[in-house]
Amino acid sequence: MPSSATKDIIAIGGSAGSGAVLQALVADLPADFPASVLVSTHIPLNSPGFLAQVLAAKSKLPVTQAVDGQPIERGHIYLAAPDRHLLLIGETIMFGAGPRENMARPSIDPMFRSAALSLGPRVVGLVLTGMLNDGAAGLHAIKSNGGTAVVQHPLDAEADQMPLAALEAVEVDHVASAADLGRLLIDIAGTSAGPALDSPSDELRLEVEIAAGARTGSVELRKIASPTAITCPDCHGVLSEVRGSGPLRYRCQIGHAYTADALAAHIDELDEAIRIALRVMEERVTLVERMARDARETGRTAVAELYEARAAEYRRYSATLHEAALTSLRLGNA
């Protein structure tokens, strides 16, 4: 017997350059669009929330920033709020206070996973332009649970990394340019969703719980990941490699999550910070040594000794930074 469920959940994730794409997309959606639309983008903590106003000016559908605990309605567009993961639990929006994923909160992957867990084949996941690869693992979850995977064409994207990562991780159903995405969603929304899977995986359920804010530990984490020799850049705990989910990604016991690409980018930022600190420390050593010489030349022995001791201390700090830089370089070249 065919399922009566339809594809009525559109989950959209984007980052760099996605604002313009979203404006074009929502402008094409009709007032009777038969689906709920959830949008998560990488917005800063202090975001003024202008995106809702900008999209509302283009859209025939109501556009609002999501509210924790509100039920979703068809023909409505909900935007993620700053500093909270936008999750769909059943047919109700929930704000997740769990750790950042891919250095972002809200992050796209938790929204995609929660929708896949709750509504399976009814979900259409769409990855837009953006840097790195947030959204790829979540789109994999949507596809694995019977949903539909859509990706903006990389050649059409302002930043092609997110679309390319999604295409590498998932056998997608549709690829379209920004100009065609709205019309494509109109064609998909309201069509038969197909039968639901018997039961989503325990691994998917656990990751949604982590995004919602549930505490985890080594015992729980071992159910989905294996410990590695890499440490978490946020809390310096052990990172574990998540099993059986593309793309390659990691979680720590607190729950911080990184794809391999995001982790590498974070390490690059750390390298630059070490180099800046090293330069500042070397400049400070030079200055304090000059101050010590000046004090001796003018007969201020006590002051000279004070500056010499400080210069020695700074040289020790500099040596520590040098070692950190060399270690980071070796890891980067490994």
Side-chain angles (χ1 to χ4, degrees), residues 90-269:
E91 297 194 21
T92 301
I93 286 173
M94 176 178 176
F95 283 175
R100 287 173 172 77
E101 292 201 27
N102 300 314
M103 301 177 286
R105 189 175 60 201
S107 177
I108 302 162
D109 280 336
M111 178 182 70
F112 281 1
R113 288 193 204 104
S114 68
L117 176 66
S118 293
L119 299 173
R122 292 169 56 186
V123 180
V124 179
L126 168 56
V127 173
L128 302 178
T129 171
M131 303 292 288
L132 300 178
N133 56 359
D134 190 18
L139 194 66
H140 185 276
I142 288 175
K143 183 69 174 178
S144 298
N145 286 271
T148 303
V150 183
V151 174
Q152 180 183 356
H153 201 298
L155 294 179
D156 178 65
E158 179 177 320
D160 65 4
Q161 292 181 20
M162 276 176 40
L164 285 172
L167 290 171
E168 291 174 0
V170 183
E171 186 175 343
V172 304
D173 299 287
H174 305 278
V175 179
S177 66
D180 295 330
L181 285 172
R183 290 189 293 273
L184 175 61
L185 293 181
I186 292 171
D187 291 340
I188 296 173
T191 61
S192 176
L197 300 184
D198 292 337
S199 179
S201 69
D202 291 339
E203 291 80 3
L204 178 60
R205 196 177 306 278
L206 175 59
E207 292 207 85
V208 172
E209 291 173 356
I210 292 172
R215 297 187 65 181
T216 188
S218 58
V219 175
E220 289 295 309
L221 191 59
R222 283 179 183 274
K223 295 178 181 178
I224 64 170
S226 303
T228 71
I230 308 171
T231 56
C232 175
D234 281 305
C235 65
H236 309 296
V238 173
L239 280 174
S240 294
E241 182 178 319
V242 179
R243 296 187 293 271
S245 174
L248 179 63
R249 58 194 181 92
Y250 300 85
R251 275 193 184 274
C252 71
Q253 292 182 21
I254 290 177
H256 297 119
Y258 294 90
T259 62
D261 284 353
L263 185 61
H266 198 96
I267 291 173
D268 288 343
E269 292 175 2

